[in-house]
Structure formats: structure tokens, C-alpha cells
């Protein structure tokens, strides 16, 4: 469990093995590479893509929720994948002879969905080997319009009683998760650079896998993030999806050694010690 810029985050992430990011206060999670106990209560899951390490737990999650008599879950998926995921679940229903009720929602860039805590999630395209989408999460609060800022409370009350619209809805990008992606998502999506908290993959960290090889696999290399150090306006950055060829010590050592101060001060690494094991 880790708290970054006021947002609590837990989960697991090991490249190629499993990724699941949970935001307990938002009451939703991203991806289900495998199903962990803390993910079972999540009625809403936003999936980035259909690679096994991100979606392998989908059928087990439905079945476990059914077993616990919890309401059917909702799974947000890239629209291009929705029919295949439905077919997959349908096959499991036949094999398992159970209803495994759930709702598969194809939701692509340009659309949005309200989250249990009233934040809004909007998908965007992340370039990867298969269809992939990241998600930006926005909070929205009614705030006093600038022209009324500093007005005495009596005046505010008077205007309010006259039915004057004193507030406007202000959206703040709170959190963004890229999913698996090439680094170009940083330039392509403003929310990736501006959300208060960014969770971004960085699968390879040194010359054991070259930048070219990393790109062929559809992933981001530490070298590429370092080159873009000036672009990140985020308050905090969570690096995740490290290849299992690196030990926890190596990950922390390489980040310490290679990240420029500007990035180091806001980066955390999602390694085992930050993960919730069950
Ligand atoms: Zn992955
Ligand atoms: Zn992937």
C-alpha cells in the first residue's frame, strides 16, 4: 500500500506475470492479471488490454463474486475486445454450468464512465502490441466562479437567493494509468503529463534489453522516460510493470542511479515491498 499525493494505491505489478492496481478510496481497480482477495469486492474494473497478465483473472473474479453473493461486476474494456470477452465468458459459463453474471462494457476514447466516488474515467489509446487503452480519472467539484471570489458572505447569500449561478464545475485530473504502452503516450496524451498522480509502465531498465528491443515488444524503457524528464508535470509518478529479470534490489538501485533528480523526487517504484500479497 502506498499513498501518493493523497491517493491510496495498492496492488501487484510484474511485467508479463500479473498487474492489478487498486484505488480503495475510489472503489475500483484496473486490470486483473490474477484475482487477489482485495479485488473481489470491486464491482467495477477498468481493463487496459487483453494480455493474460492484465486480464487472466476476469472469469475467476466473476465466479468468486457470485460465490460470495456479491452483485454482478461491471467490466470496462476496449470496445474492439468486448465481443470476444463476452464469448470467452460465455464459454466459461457452459464449462462451469453457472450463470457467472457480469456486464461487459465496451468503452473507448471519447466516452466516459462515472466511478463509485463520483470521479469520471475517460479512456485514451495507448500504443502497444494489441489494442490497449489507458484511463484518466477526473474529480469534479463546484467551485466559486472567479468573479465572485472575495465577495462578502452577505453579498454571496443575496446573489444566491436571486438564483445567480455562483459556482462552476471544475474538473481536476487526479490519476492516470497508461497500461502497457510505448513511451509516445506521454506526448500524445495531455492527461498523462498533467494528472496529479501518474502510474506508468517501465518494463526495462538497462542495457540487458535495448531500447529498440523494448520498443519491439511494445513497452517503455527507462532511457526513454529519462529523455522526457521535463515533460512530467505530475505531483507523483508510480513506475510499475518491471520485467521479472530484475530483482527488487536491482530495480531500486537502477532507478536511484539513473533517474535525474527532477524525476527521482517524485517517482516511486511499485516493487514487492509496496505490493499487497495474499
Ligand atoms: Zn503487461
Ligand atoms: Zn501487454
Amino acid at each position: 500500500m502506498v499513498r501518493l499525493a493523497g491517493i491510496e494505491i495498492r496492488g501487484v505489478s510484474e511485467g508479463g506475470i500479473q498487474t492489478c492496481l487498486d484505488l480503495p478510496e475510489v472503489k475500483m481497480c484496473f486490470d486483473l492479471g490474477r484475482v487477489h482477495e482485495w479485488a473481489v469486492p470491486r464491482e467495477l474494473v477498468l481493463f487496459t488490454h487483453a494480455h493474460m497478465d492484465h486480464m487472466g483473472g476476469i472469469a475467476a473474479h466473476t465466479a468468486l463474486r457470485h460465490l460470495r453473493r456479491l452483485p454482478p461486476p461491471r467490466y470496462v474494456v476496449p470496445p474492439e475486445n468486448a465481443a470476444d470477452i463476452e464469448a470467452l465468458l460465455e464459454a466459461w459459463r457452459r464449462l462451469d454450468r453457472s450463470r457467472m453474471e457480469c456486464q461487459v462494457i465496451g468503452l473507448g476514447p471519447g466516452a466516459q464512465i462515472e466511478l463509485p466516488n463520483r470521479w469520471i474515467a475517460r479512456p485514451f489509446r495507448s500504443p502497444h502490441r494489441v489494442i490497449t487503452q489507458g484511463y484518466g480519472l477526473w474529480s469534479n467539484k463546484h467551485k466559486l466562479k472567479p468573479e465572485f471570489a472575495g465577495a462578502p458572505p452577505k453579498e454571496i447569500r443575496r446573489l444566491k437567493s436571486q438564483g445567480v449561478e455562483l459556482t462552476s464545475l471544475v474538473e481536476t485530473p487526479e490519476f492516470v494509468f497508461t497500461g502497457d504502452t510505448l513511451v509516445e503516450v506521454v506526448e500524445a496524451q495531455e492527461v498523462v503529463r498533467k494528472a496529479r498522480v501518474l502510474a506508468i509502465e517501465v518494463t526495462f531498465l538497462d542495457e540487458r534489453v535495448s531500447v529498440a528491443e523494448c520498443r519491439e515488444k511494445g513497452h517503455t524503457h527507462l532511457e526513454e522516460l529519462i529523455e522526457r524528464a521535463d515533460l512530467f508535470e505530475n505531483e507523483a509518478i508510480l513506475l510499475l510493470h518491471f520485467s521479472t529479470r530484475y530483482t527488487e534490489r536491482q530495480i531500486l538501485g537502477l532507478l536511484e542511479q539513473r533517474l535525474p533528480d527532477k524525476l527521482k523526487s517524485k517517482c516511486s517504484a511499485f516493487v514487492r515491498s509496496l505490493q499487497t500479497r495474499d
Side-chain angles (χ1 to χ4, degrees):
M1 193 88 80
V2 58
R3 186 174 279 280
L4 297 178
I7 300 175
E8 195 176 319
I9 306 162
R10 67 179 167 185
V12 288
S13 183
E14 303 164 278
I17 308 292
Q18 56 167 336
T19 288
C20 177
L21 263 192
D22 185 39
L23 303 183
E25 295 144 335
V26 189
K27 294 191 172 58
M28 50 72 59
C29 69
F30 298 100
D31 291 346
L32 292 169
R34 293 179 194 168
V35 182
H36 292 265
E37 195 49 46
W38 39 261
V40 179
R42 294 289 166 254
E43 180 267 337
L44 179 68
V45 184
L46 308 186
F47 285 97
T48 60
H49 66 302
H51 273 152
M52 199 57 88
D53 58 322
H54 296 258
M55 208 181 269
I58 190 169
H61 184 258
T62 310
L64 269 170
R65 284 186 60 89
H66 182 71
L67 189 74
R68 306 257 171 93
R69 298 175 198 275
L70 293 165
R74 288 177 298 152
Y75 299 133
V76 173
V77 302
E80 299 88 337
N81 291 156
D84 283 341
I85 292 164
E86 285 280 17
L88 177 82
L89 288 162
E90 198 47 46
W92 271 111
R93 288 182 190 109
R94 282 198 305 277
L95 291 163
D96 197 63
R97 296 202 181 171
S98 66
R99 298 211 313 275
M100 288 176 61
E101 269 180 83
C102 64
Q103 195 187 346
V104 175
I105 304 168
L107 190 89
Q112 63 179 43
I113 187 166
E114 189 179 278
L115 303 177
N117 73 338
R118 304 240 153 163
W119 285 7
I120 299 291
R122 299 189 178 110
F124 56 85
R125 195 57 77 207
S126 287
H128 186 44
R129 279 181 300 128
V130 297
I131 285 163
T132 299
Q133 58 193 29
Y135 295 88
L137 311 187
W138 277 263
S139 65
N140 40 34
K141 288 192 186 100
H142 282 281
K143 288 194 178 150
L144 203 60
K145 289 181 183 171
E147 58 263 41
F148 302 117
K154 206 174 157 189
E155 175 69 359
I156 296 282
R157 276 196 299 275
R158 191 183 64 81
L159 290 167
K160 204 171 178 183
S161 68
Q162 288 175 354
V164 176
E165 195 65 63
L166 297 168
T167 60
S168 55
L169 204 58
V170 177
E171 287 196 334
T172 308
E174 300 281 353
F175 188 91
V176 62
F177 177 41
T178 61
D180 288 2
T181 187
L182 288 170
V183 75
E184 279 79 359
V185 77
V186 175
E187 280 95 345
Q189 302 297 335
E190 189 184 35
V191 67
V192 171
R193 302 185 302 273
K194 297 207 162 163
R196 292 200 317 113
V197 179
L198 160 66
I200 188 167
E201 77 121 294
V202 51
T203 305
F204 301 108
L205 304 173
D206 66 7
E207 63 292 339
R208 268 174 273 187
V209 175
S210 69
V211 171
E213 256 180 286
C214 168
R215 294 185 61 80
E216 248 166 63
K217 295 173 198 285
H219 291 297
T220 297
H221 197 286
L222 182 59
E223 202 63 54
E224 298 175 292
L225 279 193
I226 292 170
E227 281 166 15
R228 289 164 177 79
D230 291 336
L231 298 182
F232 299 98
E233 296 173 38
N234 324 84
E235 284 175 41
I237 301 177
L238 183 62
L239 304 175
L240 45 81
H241 201 269
F242 302 109
S243 161
T244 51
R245 72 189 70 201
Y246 306 104
T247 65
E248 180 176 332
R249 247 179 100 116
Q250 286 169 341
I251 294 167
L252 296 173
L254 283 163
L255 294 176
E256 176 62 32
Q257 200 185 312
R258 307 198 59 198
L259 280 175
D261 288 344
K262 185 176 232 173
L263 273 184
K264 205 186 290 177
S265 58
K266 51 183 165 188
C267 277
S268 307
F270 212 45
V271 290
R272 275 192 184 80
S273 54
L274 291 181
Q275 295 169 357
T276 307
R277 290 280 168 193
D278 60 22

